[in-house]
DNA sequence: CATGATTTGTCCGTATGTATG
DNA sequence: GCATACATACGGACAAATCAT
């Protein structure tokens, strides 16, 4: 409380724009007010408006074209894999103002398959939990995630946790087990049966499938997951060579 | 190519800093010159230096602390495998003993689309080359790659190069332009028309689609690509968090 | 096709506030 | 307290890209 809750003007301008988008008054492809218009509206200068815009460009919210204007970018149907940090894509989307809901499809326990024993380094007799959730971003079904969780951890998950938080956050905040490493694999496949139904796509529609294991600091596998993404979803990534040494 | 060699001052400042880091004169944790110092060095104002810094902050190259200074951030990612290093898929496969051949489907020039101008930062009148190749791994058609190459580079590519080498290797070995950064996006789609034929899969079969831009050391876009992979192909990745201080 | 209005891109110079050591 | 460094903001200027007329 020692600090005043001062909000920089350029942040207030960003919030104004994000609100306009969230409220639907600005949609994909629409032109935003110009720099002079916003400068006048907020009683400031173009430089400040430009700064507000610049960050939103970096976050992929808007695109700008000289001589033309500033436009709302396509909706955030993407999950950046920022290889410099292990963050769940929920966090990354939340940074951009998206609203994420979960719809729990199944949460129960069973005996692990040999594949699951291998992936999670389980003892044979240890039961595991299965958690199937639909991830809904800003009202749209985006993906179906299937998780296999060791009994030890699964027993401690409450209904509230699994309805509201990403697995990353549950592991970190509730269990004190931050995810330090993700090993995964991405491939294409077709939606069939239950998966097609739950994603609300036609059977035979293409889906992006991501298999992964979340690992803790000591390289212990924490959770195995399989996520199915609709065709209109994409995963963004950046790979960069180290500049140092050499 | 003479008229428009203008490089914004803030970009030149960024390149200066990136060079200092690449050359090892600045390492992880080192303090960079301050805003006034750089402003003086480049005969500009603090505002311009601040803008140069701001983008590097967003890209994770530096961190800034008010009252303290600007510091070189920890190396972005330490992922030991796969995507964390900038290698082409060819190299990764070759490591495992696979034999890679290319079958050139098309190599011609055309005027760039607006999308290509945007992605490659082209001038409008500059023609670009299109290179379509099938990647054949151990006798099996694995993927179709479509590349868009600025005329300047495309004109220097010989038939032998494009029949035998990955784009990464051509850029590095033949043009002295190593790829230091890849920005891409992965999604699922269906094979249709020419793509299905060339991949030798049924129309409607799922394919993995990867869009990307290869960038050089100074962040200039070199090549834009779109690759289509058959259903049985998968992309492995590892993301790992650095353990360091905080 | 030319031209002017609009819009963003870049840059200058100045000023004040806040955090750090 | 003090100097240094970054954070935010003001106001003005010209250039380049775009688009409607």
């Amino acid at each position: 409380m020692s600090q005043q809750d001062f909000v920089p003007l350029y942040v207030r301008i960003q919030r104004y724009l994000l609100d306009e988008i969230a409220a639907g008054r600005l949609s994909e492809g629409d032109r935003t007010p110009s720099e002079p218009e916003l400068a006048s509206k907020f009683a400031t200068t173009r430089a400040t408006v430009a700064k507000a815009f610049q960050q939103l460009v970096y976050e992929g919210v808007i695109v700008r074209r000289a001589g033309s204007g500033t436009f709302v970018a396509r909706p955030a149907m993407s999950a950046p894999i920022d290889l410099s940090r292990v963050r769940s894509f929920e966090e990354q989307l939340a940074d951009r103002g998206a609203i994420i809901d979960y719809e729990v499809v199944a949460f129960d326990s069973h005996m692990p398959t040999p594949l699951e024993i291998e992936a999670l380094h389980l003892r044979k007799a240890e039961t595991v939990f299965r958690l199937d959730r639909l991830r809904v971003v800003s009202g749209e079904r985006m993906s179906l995630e299937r998780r296999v969780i060791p009994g030890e951890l699964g027993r401690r998950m409450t209904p509230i946790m699994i309805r509201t938080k990403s697995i990353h956050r549950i592991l970190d905040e509730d269990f004190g087990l931050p995810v330090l490493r993700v090993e995964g694999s991405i491939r294409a496949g077709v939606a069939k049966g239950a998966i097609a139904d739950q994603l609300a796509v036609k059977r035979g529609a293409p889906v992006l499938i991501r298999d992964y294991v979340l690992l803790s600091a000591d390289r212990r596998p924490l959770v195995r997951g399989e996520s199915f993404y609709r065709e209109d979803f994409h995963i963004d990534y950046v790979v960069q060579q180290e500049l140092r040494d050499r």
Side-chain angles (χ1 to χ4, degrees), chain A:
Chain A
M1 272 322 187
S2 52
Q3 314 177 14
Q4 343 168 355
D5 33 21
F6 167 73
V7 179
L9 185 49
Y10 73 89
V11 173
R12 291 209 296 274
I13 297 172
Q14 289 176 348
R15 288 186 186 165
Y16 167 75
L17 288 165
L18 290 172
D19 283 348
E20 290 293 297
I21 294 170
R25 289 186 289 275
L26 284 175
S27 328
E28 176 181 357
D30 287 355
R31 230 197 65 181
T32 69
S34 70
E35 284 188 7
E37 279 166 9
L38 284 175
S40 157
K41 181 182 182 70
F42 284 88
T44 178
T45 61
R46 271 192 59 209
T48 300
V49 177
K51 171 154 181 149
F53 274 146
Q54 200 193 348
Q55 289 196 358
L56 294 180
V57 168
Y58 253 94
E59 293 167 15
V61 178
I62 56 175
V63 294
R64 315 193 72 192
R65 281 197 294 278
S68 179
T70 300
F71 304 85
V72 178
R74 66 168 187 270
M77 285 291 270
S78 81
I81 295 184
D82 179 346
L83 290 177
S84 61
R85 270 182 288 244
V86 177
R87 293 194 300 169
S88 70
F89 87 113
E90 283 80 2
E91 294 172 83
Q92 301 185 35
L93 284 178
D95 284 352
R96 294 163 57 160
I99 298 162
I100 292 135
D101 290 311
Y102 296 100
E103 192 176 314
V104 177
V105 175
F107 185 52
D108 49 34
S109 63
H110 62 92
M111 296 307 293
T113 66
L115 213 126
E116 290 163 0
I117 291 174
E118 163 68 18
L120 293 175
H121 297 171
L122 296 172
R123 293 182 296 282
K124 270 185 303 229
E126 194 174 356
T127 68
V128 294
F129 283 79
R130 174 186 62 152
L131 171 60
D132 287 8
R133 298 195 296 187
L134 279 168
R135 191 154 35 200
V136 182
V137 175
S138 303
E140 256 204 292
R141 288 186 184 187
M142 183 140 83
S143 67
L144 171 68
E145 45 179 60
R146 293 192 159 166
R147 296 263 161 67
V148 178
I149 303 161
E152 185 192 348
L153 297 176
R155 270 188 291 276
R156 295 160 58 195
M157 292 191 178
T158 65
I160 291 180
M161 285 183 205
I162 65 175
R163 269 206 313 272
T164 57
K165 298 169 88 167
S166 75
I167 289 286
H168 277 72
R169 283 186 57 204
I170 294 175
L171 290 171
D172 187 354
E173 295 173 11
D174 297 312
F175 298 164
L177 291 167
V179 174
L180 284 217
R181 184 180 164 94
V182 180
E183 298 177 357
S185 170
I186 299 171
R187 65 185 201 277
V190 290
K192 32 190 164 179
I195 290 168
D197 297 343
Q198 281 156 358
L199 284 178
V201 299
K202 281 202 282 279
R203 309 204 170 182
V207 287
L208 196 65
I209 306 171
R210 188 167 70 100
D211 293 302
Y212 51 92
V213 179
L214 308 182
L215 301 141
S216 67
D218 54 4
R219 298 266 167 132
R220 225 164 21 116
L222 297 173
V223 169
R224 179 176 134 74
E226 195 177 17
S227 291
F228 302 85
Y229 302 91
R230 286 167 35 161
E231 183 181 5
D232 48 2
F233 185 81
H234 50 96
I235 296 176
D236 296 333
Y237 67 95
V238 172
V239 185
Q240 177 151 347
Q241 181 83 290
E242 307 259 346
L243 293 171
R244 347 280 176 207
D245 70 85
R246 190 171 48 163

